[in-house]
Amino acid sequence: MEDFASGAAAQANQGKFSDPELTAGGEPRAHVRLTNPQTLWFNTGTLCNITCANCYIESSPTNDALVYITRREMTPYLDEIEELGWPIREIGFTGGEPFMNPQMVAMIAEALGRGFEVLVLTNAMRPMMRKRVREALLGLDETARARLTLRISLDHWSEELHDAERGKGSFERTLEGMRWLRDTGFTMATAGRIAFHESEEAARAGYAALYARENFNIDAQDPGMTVLFPEMDMGVEVPEITTACWGILGKSPDDVMCSSSRMVVKRRGAERPAVLACTLLAYDRAFELGETLAEADRPVALNHPHCAKFCVLGGASCSA
């Protein structure tokens, strides 16, 4: 599977992001240490019920480059968190569409049963709305369910722009799932995009109006409850982040996502899962840190356009 940053992005950034220690200009490249592990992500598999126009991980009904991870494969990592004494508070599940994985609810239950907060990124469409999945979700311990948040991929507050990304009719099918979650008392958040033509303020106002109309208990102004990413032009040149950039930008390495999280994936054909530095770089082997959390506790070189565009300059975070 080719990395999503290839093509136009690789051409725009030709000569950059090749040396993990030095930038194209010969300056020391910035690195980020895992200083405050808060979230451990599990990619449940790249299969999805839909194919989006700009999916960063290229999920689709046929892409199984990352295969379904199982509860049995997940639990050693939860054990290791305790053994290492990491202050992980949140277990996140992403895909693909997590509810395509037949063990999804069992994995949620396992993480909740160990006292973690749980965040599931879902499109709230047919995989989640199958009868057996809904029954399993409703069967989760009611007290533990208070620590579960389902973050719905709602690409835009308008049906037109959402469907342009996810396919005709997808907006209404997602709202059907959200209405079920609302009526059954689940905690919801959303993740969307700020269109090129609008400001963040306008985007949040649009989401607020939608929430009010649907009686969704989601705060449009809270960046942890309504997570908005800018539209990404992959053909734009991206600056490399040097060690000097922290002072120039007034930022700290501790502000970047790989200082607080790691992601576990299982590649097609692999015997065991692997731990990655970042949720955004599932296919770039340079960001594969080992098979255990202990092996993954090492600095990450910001040697990819996403490091600059999404995280350092964009301030993005997949966690709440």
Side-chain angles (χ1 to χ4, degrees), residues 38-114:
Q38 290 289 306
T39 303
L40 180 62
W41 289 92
F42 290 90
N43 188 295
T44 62
T46 39
L47 286 174
C48 187
N49 56 303
I50 58 175
T51 302
C52 295
N54 296 293
C55 179
Y56 78 93
I57 203 168
E58 300 179 350
S59 297
S60 75
T62 59
N63 178 13
D64 64 346
L66 303 181
V67 297
Y68 291 150
I69 202 163
T70 66
R71 181 178 182 175
R72 183 177 180 179
E73 290 167 330
M74 179 189 78
T75 52
Y77 292 99
L78 303 186
D79 294 338
E80 195 179 5
I81 289 171
E82 185 175 354
E83 292 165 6
L84 294 172
W86 282 11
I88 295 285
R89 63 173 181 80
E90 177 184 63
I91 302 299
F93 295 99
T94 184
E97 166 51 46
F99 287 108
M100 295 278 285
N101 187 316
Q103 296 193 25
M104 186 64 255
V105 181
M107 290 190 288
I108 292 172
E110 178 72 30
L112 289 174
R114 292 176 180 241

Side-chain angles (χ1 to χ4, degrees), residues 262-319:
R262 292 290 185 262
M263 182 170 76
V264 179
V265 305
K266 189 174 184 185
R267 303 191 190 283
R268 184 176 58 220
E271 290 185 13
R272 291 175 293 277
V275 185
L276 311 186
C278 179
T279 60
L280 300 174
L281 300 172
Y283 302 131
D284 192 327
R285 295 296 182 116
F287 291 86
E288 186 169 313
L289 303 177
E291 294 181 350
T292 67
L293 298 184
E295 292 171 338
D297 187 3
R298 53 191 174 98
V300 176
L302 301 187
N303 193 28
H304 195 284
H306 285 357
C307 302
K309 185 175 281 191
F310 270 105
C311 295
V312 177
L313 301 177
S317 175
C318 291
S319 176

